[in-house]
Structure formats: C-alpha cells, structure tokens
Amino acid sequence: MAELLPNFQFPISVFCERLRISLLIISVSLVAIIFSTPVYGKISIDNISITSMSEDIKISATLHNGFSKNIVEAIESGVPVTFTYYLELRKKVPMWFDSKVSMRTIKMTLQYDTLKKEYELSSFDGENSSNKITKEFNEIKERMARLDGISLASSKMLNPNKKYYVRIKANMKSKKLWFPFSYILYFFSFFDFNTSWEKSTPFIIKTIPIK
C-alpha cells in the first residue's frame, strides 16, 4: 500500500503551472478589454443645491457618468465597489485662503450576489448606517449617484453677513479580494475614478431656500 501512495500525489509544479497559464489568459483578455474600451463622458458632480430645514443646512447633488459599462460589468461579476463622497462647507475669506467650516464623508458599498441575483447596498454617513437589498439595479444606481438632503451644518454656526459655499468630490474604489481574485481585480482597478472638486454658487444665510 505504501508503494502505491506516490501515484496518487498531485504534482504541485503542474498545479502552479496551470494556475499561471490560467491567470495569464485572463490577464491578456482583460487587458484587451481595457484597451478596446470606448471613452465615456467626464465623471463629475453636478446640480449642487443648498436648502435650510429646521436650522440645518441641507445639501443635494448628483454624480454624472458614474456608472460606465465596465463598472456595471464589474459589479455584475460580483466585484464589490465603494462610492465615497466628500462634502465641505467653506467660508470665503477675501484676500486669503477660504476656511473650512464643516465636512462630511458618505460611503456607499455595493455587492452583487451572483447566486441570489440580488444587490446589497450598505451606506454610512459618518453617524448612521443603513442596508438595502433589492433585485432592481436601476434603484440602486439612482441611490448611489445622488445625495439628497444631506445635513452639513447648523445655520447657527454661520455668520449672516459672510459668504459661504459647498464643495463636493467623489471617488469609486474596487474592494480588495483574496488571491487569485485580487490578481484579476487589479485590472478592474483601472476603472476606479476620482472626480475633481465641484463648488456651489456662493451664498449667505438669508438667501438659502427654506423647506
């Protein structure tokens, strides 16, 4: 019996070679996809609006062109992605650097379950977390591409005679996975993005619409 055992051992070198070839084929395919990808519109923050409600300064905005074909394909392949929004309220200072009054970070992580065919969206606004599971991708996409009534500061913090503005930027990152998926995910990281800062029109407290 002892003499037969070596015949049942799987050669490690063969396994490693097969894995290397498989990863090479996947890599070449993904590189081909990347370089054959059409150019999409600029990803940006649009439609920044500011309102006041119960003494809170509320911010709304839209992420434009955040879901390219490649990002959607990555999501539907089961790759977790995180959208992060950075919001700042700043005071204009004549002849000097503008000062930061308050800031907030919003994180939204999306994971698609390829077996259940469900999208799970986990959100955290710095204070509260929420979780949403649905089979409707358009619903999730709309949630992730829009900030709606985010509290940024209390109007009591602001000088009624000074000018302020809000600036927002966003990024998207693919979540790291275990090997060998981390190796494959390296190519999806080419689709990660960072927008530039987008500013609202300067305002003073008495000009903010009240809801």
Side-chain angles (χ1 to χ4, degrees), residues 170-183:
N171 67 40
M172 190 281 287
K173 299 291 184 184
S174 305
K175 188 176 180 180
K176 293 181 178 180
L177 301 176
W178 294 101
F179 181 85
F181 299 105
S182 59
Y183 183 80

PDB file of all heavy atoms in Angstrom, residues 170-183:
ATOM      1  N   ALA A 170     -16.028  63.053  -5.387  1.00  0.00           N
ATOM      2  CA  ALA A 170     -16.369  61.640  -5.175  1.00  0.00           C
ATOM      3  C   ALA A 170     -15.287  60.749  -5.753  1.00  0.00           C
ATOM      4  O   ALA A 170     -14.537  61.159  -6.648  1.00  0.00           O
ATOM      5  CB  ALA A 170     -17.713  61.310  -5.823  1.00  0.00           C
ATOM      6  N   ASN A 171     -15.198  59.535  -5.238  1.00  0.00           N
ATOM      7  CA  ASN A 171     -14.342  58.525  -5.856  1.00  0.00           C
ATOM      8  C   ASN A 171     -15.013  57.168  -5.787  1.00  0.00           C
ATOM      9  O   ASN A 171     -15.945  56.946  -5.019  1.00  0.00           O
ATOM     10  CB  ASN A 171     -12.931  58.498  -5.248  1.00  0.00           C
ATOM     11  CG  ASN A 171     -12.896  58.033  -3.808  1.00  0.00           C
ATOM     12  OD1 ASN A 171     -13.603  57.108  -3.410  1.00  0.00           O
ATOM     13  ND2 ASN A 171     -12.060  58.663  -2.992  1.00  0.00           N
ATOM     14  N   MET A 172     -14.542  56.268  -6.624  1.00  0.00           N
ATOM     15  CA  MET A 172     -15.033  54.892  -6.632  1.00  0.00           C
ATOM     16  C   MET A 172     -13.829  53.967  -6.564  1.00  0.00           C
ATOM     17  O   MET A 172     -12.873  54.125  -7.305  1.00  0.00           O
ATOM     18  CB  MET A 172     -15.837  54.597  -7.899  1.00  0.00           C
ATOM     19  CG  MET A 172     -16.589  53.249  -7.869  1.00  0.00           C
ATOM     20  SD  MET A 172     -15.566  51.785  -8.205  1.00  0.00           S
ATOM     21  CE  MET A 172     -15.295  51.947  -9.964  1.00  0.00           C
ATOM     22  N   LYS A 173     -13.882  53.021  -5.645  1.00  0.00           N
ATOM     23  CA  LYS A 173     -12.803  52.063  -5.472  1.00  0.00           C
ATOM     24  C   LYS A 173     -13.362  50.644  -5.486  1.00  0.00           C
ATOM     25  O   LYS A 173     -14.430  50.386  -4.930  1.00  0.00           O
ATOM     26  CB  LYS A 173     -12.070  52.289  -4.146  1.00  0.00           C
ATOM     27  CG  LYS A 173     -11.412  53.660  -4.000  1.00  0.00           C
ATOM     28  CD  LYS A 173     -10.231  53.820  -4.929  1.00  0.00           C
ATOM     29  CE  LYS A 173      -9.533  55.162  -4.696  1.00  0.00           C
ATOM     30  NZ  LYS A 173      -8.430  55.377  -5.676  1.00  0.00           N
ATOM     31  N   SER A 174     -12.629  49.739  -6.113  1.00  0.00           N
ATOM     32  CA  SER A 174     -12.980  48.324  -6.081  1.00  0.00           C
ATOM     33  C   SER A 174     -12.388  47.706  -4.824  1.00  0.00           C
ATOM     34  O   SER A 174     -11.239  47.974  -4.471  1.00  0.00           O
ATOM     35  CB  SER A 174     -12.420  47.603  -7.314  1.00  0.00           C
ATOM     36  OG  SER A 174     -12.841  48.224  -8.499  1.00  0.00           O
ATOM     37  N   LYS A 175     -13.164  46.885  -4.142  1.00  0.00           N
ATOM     38  CA  LYS A 175     -12.703  46.278  -2.895  1.00  0.00           C
ATOM     39  C   LYS A 175     -11.712  45.156  -3.177  1.00  0.00           C
ATOM     40  O   LYS A 175     -11.861  44.395  -4.127  1.00  0.00           O
ATOM     41  CB  LYS A 175     -13.901  45.724  -2.124  1.00  0.00           C
ATOM     42  CG  LYS A 175     -13.568  45.238  -0.721  1.00  0.00           C
ATOM     43  CD  LYS A 175     -14.828  44.798   0.006  1.00  0.00           C
ATOM     44  CE  LYS A 175     -14.507  44.310   1.414  1.00  0.00           C
ATOM     45  NZ  LYS A 175     -15.736  43.883   2.132  1.00  0.00           N
ATOM     46  N   LYS A 176     -10.676  45.056  -2.320  1.00  0.00           N
ATOM     47  CA  LYS A 176      -9.678  44.005  -2.476  1.00  0.00           C
ATOM     48  C   LYS A 176     -10.269  42.635  -2.132  1.00  0.00           C
ATOM     49  O   LYS A 176     -11.025  42.491  -1.180  1.00  0.00           O
ATOM     50  CB  LYS A 176      -8.466  44.283  -1.585  1.00  0.00           C
ATOM     51  CG  LYS A 176      -7.674  45.516  -1.991  1.00  0.00           C
ATOM     52  CD  LYS A 176      -6.474  45.718  -1.096  1.00  0.00           C
ATOM     53  CE  LYS A 176      -5.660  46.922  -1.523  1.00  0.00           C
ATOM     54  NZ  LYS A 176      -4.480  47.141  -0.655  1.00  0.00           N
ATOM     55  N   LEU A 177      -9.902  41.630  -2.928  1.00  0.00           N
ATOM     56  CA  LEU A 177     -10.348  40.258  -2.705  1.00  0.00           C
ATOM     57  C   LEU A 177      -9.156  39.356  -2.457  1.00  0.00           C
ATOM     58  O   LEU A 177      -8.002  39.748  -2.636  1.00  0.00           O
ATOM     59  CB  LEU A 177     -11.140  39.764  -3.930  1.00  0.00           C
ATOM     60  CG  LEU A 177     -12.387  40.576  -4.308  1.00  0.00           C
ATOM     61  CD1 LEU A 177     -12.985  40.021  -5.591  1.00  0.00           C
ATOM     62  CD2 LEU A 177     -13.406  40.551  -3.195  1.00  0.00           C
ATOM     63  N   TRP A 178      -9.453  38.104  -2.066  1.00  0.00           N
ATOM     64  CA  TRP A 178      -8.391  37.133  -1.837  1.00  0.00           C
ATOM     65  C   TRP A 178      -7.813  36.659  -3.167  1.00  0.00           C
ATOM     66  O   TRP A 178      -8.470  36.652  -4.189  1.00  0.00           O
ATOM     67  CB  TRP A 178      -8.920  35.929  -1.063  1.00  0.00           C
ATOM     68  CG  TRP A 178      -9.357  36.262   0.336  1.00  0.00           C
ATOM     69  CD1 TRP A 178     -10.621  36.461   0.792  1.00  0.00           C
ATOM     70  CD2 TRP A 178      -8.510  36.460   1.469  1.00  0.00           C
ATOM     71  NE1 TRP A 178     -10.631  36.762   2.124  1.00  0.00           N
ATOM     72  CE2 TRP A 178      -9.355  36.770   2.573  1.00  0.00           C
ATOM     73  CE3 TRP A 178      -7.129  36.412   1.663  1.00  0.00           C
ATOM     74  CZ2 TRP A 178      -8.847  37.026   3.844  1.00  0.00           C
ATOM     75  CZ3 TRP A 178      -6.632  36.662   2.931  1.00  0.00           C
ATOM     76  CH2 TRP A 178      -7.480  36.957   4.003  1.00  0.00           C
ATOM     77  N   PHE A 179      -6.540  36.233  -3.139  1.00  0.00           N
ATOM     78  CA  PHE A 179      -5.892  35.637  -4.308  1.00  0.00           C
ATOM     79  C   PHE A 179      -6.635  34.339  -4.689  1.00  0.00           C
ATOM     80  O   PHE A 179      -7.073  33.609  -3.802  1.00  0.00           O
ATOM     81  CB  PHE A 179      -4.428  35.310  -3.973  1.00  0.00           C
ATOM     82  CG  PHE A 179      -3.668  34.714  -5.122  1.00  0.00           C
ATOM     83  CD1 PHE A 179      -3.076  35.517  -6.070  1.00  0.00           C
ATOM     84  CD2 PHE A 179      -3.577  33.334  -5.264  1.00  0.00           C
ATOM     85  CE1 PHE A 179      -2.391  34.964  -7.141  1.00  0.00           C
ATOM     86  CE2 PHE A 179      -2.893  32.774  -6.323  1.00  0.00           C
ATOM     87  CZ  PHE A 179      -2.299  33.598  -7.252  1.00  0.00           C
ATOM     88  N   PRO A 180      -6.845  34.058  -6.000  1.00  0.00           N
ATOM     89  CA  PRO A 180      -6.330  34.793  -7.156  1.00  0.00           C
ATOM     90  C   PRO A 180      -7.244  35.907  -7.639  1.00  0.00           C
ATOM     91  O   PRO A 180      -6.929  36.594  -8.587  1.00  0.00           O
ATOM     92  CB  PRO A 180      -6.254  33.688  -8.223  1.00  0.00           C
ATOM     93  CG  PRO A 180      -7.417  32.805  -7.906  1.00  0.00           C
ATOM     94  CD  PRO A 180      -7.507  32.782  -6.395  1.00  0.00           C
ATOM     95  N   PHE A 181      -8.398  36.129  -6.946  1.00  0.00           N
ATOM     96  CA  PHE A 181      -9.326  37.164  -7.399  1.00  0.00           C
ATOM     97  C   PHE A 181      -8.720  38.556  -7.252  1.00  0.00           C
ATOM     98  O   PHE A 181      -9.055  39.462  -8.004  1.00  0.00           O
ATOM     99  CB  PHE A 181     -10.628  37.060  -6.599  1.00  0.00           C
ATOM    100  CG  PHE A 181     -11.312  35.735  -6.772  1.00  0.00           C
ATOM    101  CD1 PHE A 181     -11.277  34.778  -5.758  1.00  0.00           C
ATOM    102  CD2 PHE A 181     -11.986  35.429  -7.934  1.00  0.00           C
ATOM    103  CE1 PHE A 181     -11.903  33.559  -5.910  1.00  0.00           C
ATOM    104  CE2 PHE A 181     -12.623  34.204  -8.099  1.00  0.00           C
ATOM    105  CZ  PHE A 181     -12.568  33.267  -7.081  1.00  0.00           C
ATOM    106  N   SER A 182      -7.819  38.729  -6.281  1.00  0.00           N
ATOM    107  CA  SER A 182      -7.155  40.016  -6.122  1.00  0.00           C
ATOM    108  C   SER A 182      -6.294  40.334  -7.333  1.00  0.00           C
ATOM    109  O   SER A 182      -6.129  41.483  -7.727  1.00  0.00           O
ATOM    110  CB  SER A 182      -6.288  40.004  -4.850  1.00  0.00           C
ATOM    111  OG  SER A 182      -5.321  38.969  -4.926  1.00  0.00           O
ATOM    112  N   TYR A 183      -5.740  39.291  -7.954  1.00  0.00           N
ATOM    113  CA  TYR A 183      -4.916  39.471  -9.147  1.00  0.00           C
ATOM    114  C   TYR A 183      -5.785  39.941 -10.311  1.00  0.00           C
ATOM    115  O   TYR A 183      -5.440  40.857 -11.058  1.00  0.00           O
ATOM    116  CB  TYR A 183      -4.228  38.155  -9.493  1.00  0.00           C
ATOM    117  CG  TYR A 183      -3.289  38.235 -10.685  1.00  0.00           C
ATOM    118  CD1 TYR A 183      -2.005  38.741 -10.541  1.00  0.00           C
ATOM    119  CD2 TYR A 183      -3.703  37.801 -11.932  1.00  0.00           C
ATOM    120  CE1 TYR A 183      -1.143  38.814 -11.636  1.00  0.00           C
ATOM    121  CE2 TYR A 183      -2.855  37.867 -13.030  1.00  0.00           C
ATOM    122  CZ  TYR A 183      -1.571  38.368 -12.867  1.00  0.00           C
ATOM    123  OH  TYR A 183      -0.738  38.448 -13.948  1.00  0.00           O
TER     124      TYR A 183
END
